[in-house]
Amino acid sequence: MSGKGRQKLKRTHLKIWQLIIILVPLMFIVATLLRYDHLEMMRLKEAVATADKGDDSEEVARRIGELRDFTFSHIVVNVVEKNGVSKMTFGTGPIYLEGQYQRKVATLIAEAEATVGDDSNPNGNVFAEAMAVCKPQAIEHVWAWNSSEYINCMTTEINNHPTSDVIDDAISVKIPSAGLYRYDFVSPVWAPCASGWAILVCLFVIVVIFIRFIRWIAIRIAIRIYG
């Protein structure tokens, strides 16, 4: 290559300070897009909470599906608090469908009460007596009907009766695990979305700056050694 050709190629290369100037707005764009993904996740998460307050299981399932699909296809950076400690994570964090769970538990308790609550059943009075003790406590202490305090109270009162084995087993089997109503969608570290491509461009510029800087140092060292 001729000297003029080399000089022309050299002039087309961006200098390190120029690349840094380009990098700054790129990082701002990345932060903005990541912020948008987080806010959109929070909006969908709030939509799930709103649907959970209603009594439409199909609407809840639809909202959960929207949140899941968005989280799986975007980079969602979130801060989750656990045991008083906040930590950064990728994803939604835990989501509890408390409304659905409480409605399910209330239905099952009502079914159990209807099954064992008549006088012809020798265990009926046991269940009624347990509820007579625990319901006022639940109202006084604002216990949810699916809370561990209320369930423990019911179990304790039922176990105080010698005829409670059948009832206790039935309640243990019917009440669903709260884990079935808990969701925690994990976001990928990188996804082919707007923020994902912006991150790749940003990383490319950073790599170019690093290579240029290493080469600049190597040239300076070579000049000092070989004069």
Side-chain angles (χ1 to χ4, degrees):
M1 182 181 294
S2 65
K4 290 184 178 180
R6 284 195 298 269
Q7 289 179 2
K8 184 178 181 181
L9 180 63
K10 187 175 181 180
R11 284 197 298 269
T12 59
H13 288 169
L14 293 173
K15 296 180 180 179
I16 293 178
W17 66 268
Q18 292 173 320
L19 290 171
I20 292 176
I21 291 176
I22 293 173
L23 180 62
V24 172
L26 277 176
M27 294 179 67
F28 176 78
I29 291 172
V30 168
T32 301
L33 292 174
L34 289 175
R35 175 67 174 169
Y36 168 79
D37 288 345
H38 174 78
L39 292 176
E40 181 65 10
M41 180 275 294
M42 293 300 295
R43 185 189 70 80
L44 294 172
K45 195 173 179 179
E46 182 63 28
V48 171
T50 301
D52 183 49
K53 294 177 182 177
D55 196 14
D56 190 344
S57 298
E58 292 184 359
E59 176 67 9
V60 174
R62 186 174 71 85
R63 294 297 185 179
I64 283 288
E66 291 176 350
L67 177 61
R68 179 197 60 226
D69 294 342
F70 180 84
T71 305
F72 287 171
S73 60
H74 291 77
I75 304 173
V76 179
V77 182
N78 196 12
V79 177
V80 177
E81 184 175 338
K82 185 176 182 181
N83 298 326
V85 179
S86 298
K87 65 176 183 178
M88 190 184 76
T89 185
F90 288 89
T92 61
I95 303 167
Y96 302 95
L97 299 181
E98 186 176 355
Q100 275 202 331
Y101 184 76
Q102 288 183 351
R103 288 190 292 271
K104 183 66 174 179
V105 171
T107 300
L108 293 175
I109 288 179
E111 291 175 355
E113 185 177 18
T115 302
V116 300
D118 58 88
D119 294 335
S120 62
N121 190 320
N123 294 320
N125 291 333
V126 175
F127 189 83
E129 290 176 11
M131 292 192 71
V133 173
C134 296
K135 274 193 172 182
Q137 294 185 38
I139 295 172
E140 178 183 356
H141 299 290
V142 197
W143 292 345
W145 303 120
N146 64 316
S147 66
S148 58
E149 293 88 351
Y150 180 70
I151 294 174
N152 288 339
C153 178
M154 289 289 294
T155 304
T156 300
E157 291 299 321
I158 290 171
N159 286 336
N160 286 335
H161 296 76
T163 59
S164 65
D165 291 340
V166 175
I167 297 176
D168 188 39
D169 290 343
I171 292 174
S172 299
V173 172
K174 285 185 176 181
I175 291 181
S177 169
L180 298 175
Y181 295 83
R182 179 185 182 276
Y183 295 87
D184 191 349
F185 300 122
V186 179
S187 162
V189 178
W190 185 87
C193 57
S195 57
W197 294 119
I199 288 173
L200 286 184
V201 174
C202 195
L203 288 176
F204 174 77
V205 175
I206 291 174
V207 170
V208 172
I209 291 174
F210 179 77
I211 293 174
R212 293 282 184 85
F213 183 70
I214 294 299
R215 191 176 68 174
W216 181 82
I217 291 177
I219 291 173
R220 292 299 180 274
I221 293 174
I223 292 174
R224 287 198 173 190
I225 293 176
Y226 301 106

